[in-house]
Amino acid sequence: MDPAEFPLIAEAVRSGEGVDDTARFRFALDALLVGFAGYGRRGGIGGTATEQT
C-alpha cells in the first residue's frame, strides 16, 4: 500500500492511535472480503470474464 495514495490508513497503521487490535482486525477482514467479492465480479474465482462491469 502506497502511503502517498492512502495517507489516513497509513497513519492509522503507523500510530495505532484510537484503534484497538479488534477493530483493526475487523477492518482488515472487511477489506479482504470486499476485495474477494470484487475479484469474483471481475472474472476471478466464482466469476466469468463476461461478467465484468
Side-chain angles (χ1 to χ4, degrees):
M1 177 182 303
D2 182 5
E5 189 174 350
F6 303 100
L8 297 177
I9 293 175
E11 179 58 28
V13 170
R14 190 172 27 259
S15 71
E17 189 173 320
V19 181
D20 63 17
D21 291 337
T22 301
R24 271 193 301 239
F25 175 77
R26 288 182 179 161
F27 176 82
L29 186 58
D30 287 344
L32 178 69
L33 294 174
V34 167
F36 282 153
Y39 180 74
R41 284 194 300 273
R42 291 188 308 268
I45 297 171
T48 64
T50 59
E51 293 177 343
Q52 293 179 353
T53 57

